[in-house]
Amino acid sequence: MPSPDVYWLALRRAHGVGPRTCKLLIEKFGAPEKIFQLNADEIAAAGVPRNTARNIAEFRDFESLEKELCELPNIGARVVKWTDADYPPNLRQIADPPPFLFVRGSAQLTDANYIAIVGARAASDIGRRMANRLGLELAAKGFGVVSGLARGIDGEAHQGALDAHGKTIAVLGCGVDVIYPAEHRKLAEAIIESGGAIISELPIGTQPLAENFPTRNRILSGLCLGVVIVEAAEKSGSLITARMALEQDRQVFAVPGSPLSGKTRGSNRLLKEGAKLVECVEDVIEELAPQMTGPRSSASPPEVPAESTPTQLTSNRTAKVEVAPFARATEGAKTLGAVTESAMTILNNLKDSERLHVDSIIESSGLNAQTVLRLLLELELEGRVTQHPGKLFSLA
């Protein structure tokens, strides 16, 4: 007798069965093992095409799927099913949610406050810096950063979140055991080791074929409250993600770029069509504040009770949140006289050295990493501190 999880995999692998059909059948009949006890006529009566219903009723390849499940612990992966309490609440709300996800990493996916950052693979230097900074600032504020592990903007967004000792999730267009591109293997390992996760709906061993990525993008946007496009050409996969985000009733943001650059024509067009303009992290946070689940501090992300039901998780999306924005550079004159004791500790440390690495500042200050990163950002915006390449800081 196959294990219950095998039936979940089997339902999705039956020829002709996609995410919408899975959702339809599970809502109609409950657990997938009950579906496989039905004949083709009974399945078709639920609104499934007869050929597809026959494929489900005649499916017999359970043994190979059992072996696939047994392989998951060997790669540090697990299955999170649509009916599980730890299934992502935002993702459950879309029209075609994956019936299950393969997950590598310890991240709790029930945190609804995720924000995606995506963009060009062949990104400009300034675009990469912007993605890294947005990832760092969002993570320093306690938000989860989601991206696709691709070269360019995606990789920088993940790295920025890691630099803030925050949580980041990579959504793959291949199996969770296949890291693409290969040069991001260390980045993928760092994401897992930092408490983040690598996720995919595709079977282990699936290679990164081009047709996998558009469907992957619906998961990337579906996980999040909003999607930030940093750089996108006119024909870009990031624009597919933006379109899917709009279909899922997610907020779309775009970072403006030079009209002379082909790398940003797509993102600039999004701005013409109504996307929210992003110049700093506050532009994202302030727009999404009404949708966020509960109060948020920069020190730690919100926790969703383990015993929460899917209904409770969904209803939390309407909760209000108070966000303390960073001091803007234009308001620096108003805040120069009000320096906290913690900020003064950082300034005093910087006085003793021409440039200090962020890790040295964290160690010498005695403060936690997220507090130091937040304070450095505020001091930089106030014009007191300058950031240099390599995460080095000095007095301005």
Side-chain angles (χ1 to χ4, degrees):
M1 183 71 176
S3 62
D5 285 355
V6 165
Y7 291 105
W8 283 86
L9 272 62
L11 183 60
R12 184 65 178 87
R13 305 289 171 81
H15 185 69
V17 178
R20 291 176 186 262
T21 300
C22 283
K23 181 181 179 182
L24 171 69
L25 292 173
I26 291 168
E27 288 179 336
K28 175 72 174 179
F29 299 111
E33 55 260 43
K34 295 180 180 179
I35 299 169
F36 283 96
Q37 296 171 4
L38 303 173
N39 60 44
D41 290 338
E42 292 171 319
I43 297 172
V48 176
R50 185 160 294 279
N51 286 343
T52 301
R54 188 180 301 112
N55 292 335
I56 297 171
E58 296 176 357
F59 188 91
R60 294 293 181 269
D61 192 20
F62 298 107
E63 185 175 351
S64 66
L65 298 180
E66 195 79 70
K67 291 178 180 178
E68 184 176 336
L69 285 175
C70 291
E71 182 63 23
L72 293 180
N74 297 331
I75 60 172
R78 66 188 192 275
V79 176
V80 176
K81 304 182 294 296
W82 185 58
T83 54
D84 290 342
D86 55 346
Y87 189 92
N90 289 344
L91 196 57
R92 185 182 278 115
Q93 297 171 356
I94 70 174
D96 51 354
F100 54 83
L101 294 166
F102 295 106
V103 181
R104 287 179 63 194
S106 59
Q108 293 300 312
L109 304 179
T110 51
D111 184 350
N113 292 331
Y114 286 109
I115 298 172
I117 302 173
V118 296
R121 289 175 171 81
S124 67
D125 181 63
I126 194 168
R128 295 171 70 100
R129 287 169 54 194
M130 184 64 175
N132 184 282
R133 183 169 186 123
L134 285 172
L136 187 147
E137 293 183 4
L138 286 169
K141 284 288 190 181
F143 297 95
V145 174
V146 176
S147 199
L149 201 68
R151 299 181 182 95
I153 297 302
D154 290 22
E156 291 293 340
H158 289 304
Q159 188 60 56
L162 292 174
D163 290 341
H165 302 275
K167 181 169 64 177
T168 182
I169 292 177
V171 186
L172 305 187
C174 51
V176 292
D177 58 331
V178 180
I179 302 304
Y180 177 79
E183 63 261 32
H184 279 177
R185 188 171 300 278
K186 288 186 177 179
L187 177 60
E189 292 172 355
I191 290 172
I192 294 171
E193 291 170 2
S194 69
I198 293 174
I199 69 175
S200 176
E201 67 176 330
L202 299 170
I204 59 174
T206 301
Q207 296 303 303
L209 303 176
E211 58 264 29
N212 295 340
F213 288 90
T215 53
R216 179 280 304 265
N217 291 348
R218 87 186 194 287
I219 299 176
L220 198 155
S221 57
L223 281 168
C224 303
L225 297 175
V227 176
V228 183
I229 311 295
V230 177
E231 281 186 343
E234 285 188 292
K235 295 181 179 180
S236 166
S238 300
L239 298 185
I240 297 176
T241 307
R243 176 177 58 78
M244 290 181 171
L246 290 172
E247 291 173 356
Q248 296 165 348
D249 197 26
R250 306 297 193 255
Q251 182 64 64
V252 175
F253 303 85
V255 175
S258 169
L260 302 178
S261 172
K263 295 179 185 294
T264 57
R265 285 176 184 162
S267 40
N268 286 346
R269 179 162 60 82
L270 287 175
L271 291 170
K272 290 181 180 179
E273 294 173 353
K276 300 295 182 179
L277 186 145
V278 173
E279 294 180 314
C280 62
V281 72
E282 296 161 292
D283 296 329
V284 179
I285 295 174
E286 291 172 359
E287 182 69 28
L288 295 178
Q291 301 177 50
M292 296 175 189
T293 57
R296 170 170 298 279
S297 70
S298 60
S300 60
E303 295 183 1
V304 179
E307 66 273 11
S308 294
T309 64
T311 302
Q312 291 170 321
L313 294 172
T314 301
S315 64
N316 283 342
R317 288 195 58 189
T318 59
K320 298 286 183 178
V321 62
E322 294 183 3
V323 179
F326 292 127
R328 294 183 183 272
T330 55
E331 297 173 348
K334 300 177 184 178
T335 60
L336 287 176
V339 180
T340 65
E341 183 178 348
S342 297
M344 187 57 69
T345 299
I346 292 175
L347 292 172
N348 288 335
N349 287 335
L350 291 172
K351 285 180 182 178
D352 300 327
S353 178
E354 183 178 349
R355 294 183 183 183
L356 276 179
H357 191 272
V358 64
D359 289 343
S360 298
I361 300 173
I362 292 168
E363 183 178 355
S364 60
S365 69
L367 302 169
N368 68 59
Q370 290 185 335
T371 298
V372 170
L373 290 165
R374 174 176 58 81
L375 291 171
L376 283 170
L377 289 168
E378 291 177 352
L379 290 169
E380 185 178 357
L381 290 169
E382 291 172 7
R384 293 175 176 269
V385 168
T386 298
Q387 181 178 180
H388 307 276
K391 304 301 177 188
L392 297 173
F393 292 83
S394 68
L395 292 179

